[in-house]
């Protein structure tokens, strides 16, 4: 117990001395040992590496898992060293719902059979995403986390020790300076009654301060070298993170490539199976024409063939007219076209010689060309 009390008192004294030195430096009242420019550059580079690595790590977590509740759950399971329960992701859940709906509507119906195909594709996309998340977590997130929770904590600990050693060194310098000043004053104005004892005490005090300074300088130099080696290791950290970044890009490339292939296969399958049901597959998607290599319905080149048709002379056929729901607002480019408002119902039909991306639409006494991609054919 006596030893603990002495140690506690010693630690409290050291802390108090450092606090005085630190406060004096902040107010510019005492001198401060400055680190060399190279060391300061290493410190600045290390701080920058830590800050940006932390931001990249956090944002990558958000990218891979947008749900904050799921991120918290994964963090807790990781800290408890337990395996995170396997749950279906959004794509897999959507695919499951679509396939269940198809069973209810009837897998033999056009809608039911399409739901089965799309649902199966969504489940494959979910599987691809799950593999991408696992690969990214291992190859990219884990190295960044190891740096923040391992290497950086070691660097921070050694930097704190270096700062304490510097405060001790500067405190010893101040004590030595004070002892030298008192000794010089005593030598200039000697006390004839107590000359020897007083000078002896002052000289001994200066000698003790010099010894403490040498010890503090040695400890500071040793700690500075240890910290310098750790800070220079940041270059190796950059090389390691560069390799991890390449692996992350490769994982993303493979993920998006597989998703693109799955969607292309689905698109071809739906085009072949729904060609007889819908004259223009995916008619509700305004971007489908361009995505599949066709021209935009708003491109003037796609309407050249219809320019020769006189809309006012076109008559609705006896059969083949259909109802269509307008998906988006559309402003007519000229008098041959019909302006549309979202959610309204119009009658549409096609005539020989008209471009497949356009139909003739009628609303009451109004008639004109309308782009197919702005419509949802109902019957």
């Amino acid at each position: 117990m006596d030893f603990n009390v002495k140690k506690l008192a010693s630690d409290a004294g050291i802390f108090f001395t450092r606090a005085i030195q630190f406060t004096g430096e902040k107010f510019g009242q005492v001198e401060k040992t400055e680190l060399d420019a190279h060391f300061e550059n290493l410190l600045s580079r290390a701080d920058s590496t830590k800050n940006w690595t932390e931001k990249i790590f956090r944002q990558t977590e958000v990218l891979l898992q947008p749900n904050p509740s799921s991120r918290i759950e994964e963090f807790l399971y990781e800290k408890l060293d337990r395996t995170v329960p396997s749950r279906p992701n959004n794509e897999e859940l959507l695919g499951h719902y679509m396939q269940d709906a198809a069973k209810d509507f009837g897998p033999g119906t056009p809608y039911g059979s399409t739901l089965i195909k799309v649902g199966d594709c969504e489940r494959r996309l979910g599987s691809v995403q799950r593999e991408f998340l696992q690969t990214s977590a291992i190859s990219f997130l884990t190295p960044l986390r190891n740096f923040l929770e391992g290497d950086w904590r070691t660097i921070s600990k050694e930097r704190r020790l270096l700062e304490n050693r510097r405060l001790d060194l500067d405190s010893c310098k101040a004590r030595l300076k004070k002892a030298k000043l008192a000794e010089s004053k005593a030598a200039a104005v000697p006390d004839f009654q107590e000359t020897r004892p007083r000078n002896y005490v002052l000289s001994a005090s200066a000698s003790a301060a010099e010894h403490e300074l040498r010890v503090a300088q040695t400890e500071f130099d040793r700690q500075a070298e240890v910290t310098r080696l750790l800070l220079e290791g940041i270059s190796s950290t950059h090389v390691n993170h560069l390799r991890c970044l390449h692996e992350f890009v490769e994982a993303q490339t493979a993920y998006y490539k597989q998703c693109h292939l799955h969607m292309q296969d689905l698109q071809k399958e739906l085009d072949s199976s729904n060609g007889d049901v819908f004259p223009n597959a995916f008619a509700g998607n305004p971007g489908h024409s361009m995505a599949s290599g066709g021209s935009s319905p708003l491109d003037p080149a796609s309407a050249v063939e219809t320019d020769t048709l006189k809309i006012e002379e076109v008559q609705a056929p006896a059969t083949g007219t259909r109802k269509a729901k307008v998906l988006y607002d559309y402003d007519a480019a000229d008098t041959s076209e019909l302006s549309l408002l979202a959610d309204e119902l119009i009658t549409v039909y096609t005539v020989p010689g008209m471009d497949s991306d356009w139909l003739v639409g009628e609303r009451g006494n109004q008639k004109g060309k309308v782009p197919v991609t702005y419509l949802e054919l109902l019957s």
Side-chain angles (χ1 to χ4, degrees):
M1 173 62 77
D2 184 55
F3 174 78
N4 290 337
V5 171
K6 289 182 179 180
K7 186 176 184 304
L8 181 62
S10 175
D11 291 343
I14 293 174
F15 176 79
F16 185 68
T17 302
R18 290 171 179 171
I20 293 175
Q21 178 66 27
F22 182 80
T23 304
E25 290 175 357
K26 289 300 181 181
F27 286 99
Q29 298 173 350
V30 295
E31 295 181 0
K32 175 182 177 181
T33 299
E34 298 293 343
L35 301 171
D36 60 80
H38 176 64
F39 203 100
E40 291 289 353
N41 289 335
L42 290 177
L43 289 174
S44 177
R45 189 184 187 207
D47 289 334
S48 179
T49 299
K50 182 262 181 181
N51 291 335
W52 284 113
T53 300
E54 194 169 44
K55 290 180 180 179
I56 292 172
F57 176 78
R58 299 303 177 199
Q59 192 56 39
T60 305
E61 280 190 322
V62 174
L63 172 68
L64 299 180
Q65 178 51 267
N67 190 336
S69 299
S70 298
R71 291 201 302 273
I72 294 174
E73 181 185 38
E74 292 173 358
F75 174 79
L76 293 176
Y77 273 102
E78 181 181 351
K79 292 302 179 183
L80 295 174
D81 197 20
R82 298 177 59 184
T83 304
V84 180
S86 178
R87 295 188 180 91
N89 54 34
N90 293 331
E91 287 80 0
E92 291 173 331
L93 198 58
L94 175 60
H96 179 71
Y97 286 161
M98 285 183 171
Q99 292 182 335
D100 285 349
K103 295 177 183 178
D104 190 20
F105 297 148
T109 63
Y111 185 37
S113 62
T114 302
L115 279 173
I116 291 176
K117 295 172 184 176
V118 177
D120 183 62
C121 180
E122 291 295 336
R123 297 180 72 169
R124 291 199 301 270
L125 292 177
S127 177
V128 172
Q129 186 193 57
R130 185 182 299 278
E131 181 179 353
F132 165 64
L133 296 181
Q134 293 175 349
T135 302
S136 299
I138 295 173
S139 64
F140 191 60
L141 279 182
T142 299
L144 297 186
R145 183 187 292 109
N146 289 341
F147 168 74
L148 294 172
E149 296 182 356
D151 296 347
W152 181 252
R153 288 185 179 179
T154 302
I155 291 174
S156 299
K157 177 183 176 182
E158 297 301 329
R159 285 177 66 176
R160 288 192 297 269
L161 288 175
L162 177 62
E163 179 66 9
N164 289 337
R165 296 290 181 265
R166 187 195 62 76
L167 291 172
D168 294 341
L169 175 62
D170 290 337
S171 180
C172 289
K173 288 180 179 179
R175 285 199 298 271
L176 177 60
K177 184 178 180 180
K178 186 182 296 184
K180 290 288 186 182
L181 182 60
E183 187 178 13
S184 63
K185 285 183 178 180
V189 186
D191 186 347
F192 295 103
Q193 295 180 356
E194 298 180 354
T195 299
R196 289 184 179 179
R198 186 176 182 185
N199 289 344
Y200 176 78
V201 170
L202 292 174
S203 179
S205 176
S207 298
E210 288 179 351
H211 175 71
E212 291 179 355
L213 177 60
R214 286 194 296 271
V215 173
Q217 185 70 56
T218 301
E219 293 181 349
F220 173 78
D221 292 341
R222 184 187 301 115
Q223 186 60 38
E225 185 61 25
V226 172
T227 308
R228 184 192 302 273
L229 292 175
L230 289 173
L231 294 175
E232 289 175 347
I234 292 294
S235 297
S236 300
T237 299
H238 285 190
V239 173
N240 182 41
H241 289 181
L242 175 61
R243 177 182 57 80
C244 296
L245 185 60
H246 278 282
E247 293 179 359
F248 179 60
V249 172
E250 291 175 1
Q252 277 190 310
T253 302
Y255 167 64
Y256 289 119
K257 181 179 180 180
Q258 291 182 53
C259 290
H260 180 66
L261 292 176
H262 284 314
M263 294 308 299
Q264 277 190 323
D265 292 341
L266 175 63
Q267 191 177 59
K268 292 176 182 178
E269 189 176 4
L270 293 183
D271 282 341
S272 62
S273 61
N274 294 340
D276 297 333
V277 180
F278 299 105
N280 294 278
F282 299 100
N285 185 355
H288 172 68
S289 296
M290 288 181 285
S292 59
S295 60
S296 170
L298 304 183
D299 188 346
S302 66
V304 171
E305 296 181 8
T306 63
D307 289 341
T308 58
L309 295 175
K310 295 183 179 180
I311 295 299
E312 63 274 7
E313 297 179 358
V314 173
Q315 299 296 325
T319 59
T321 60
R322 306 174 69 174
K323 288 292 183 180
K325 178 182 178 181
V326 178
L327 299 175
Y328 318 99
D329 292 345
Y330 176 72
D331 295 328
D334 53 48
T335 56
S336 67
E337 297 179 4
L338 180 65
S339 295
L340 303 174
L341 295 175
D343 296 329
E344 69 174 335
L345 296 178
I346 61 173
T347 301
V348 295
Y349 52 88
T350 185
V351 295
M354 176 173 282
D355 189 282
S356 60
D357 288 329
W358 296 79
L359 293 172
V360 177
E362 289 188 359
R363 181 180 55 232
N365 296 327
Q366 296 177 315
K367 178 166 54 176
K369 297 182 299 180
V370 293
V372 173
T373 51
Y374 280 69
L375 306 174
E376 177 185 356
L377 301 179
L378 301 179
S379 60

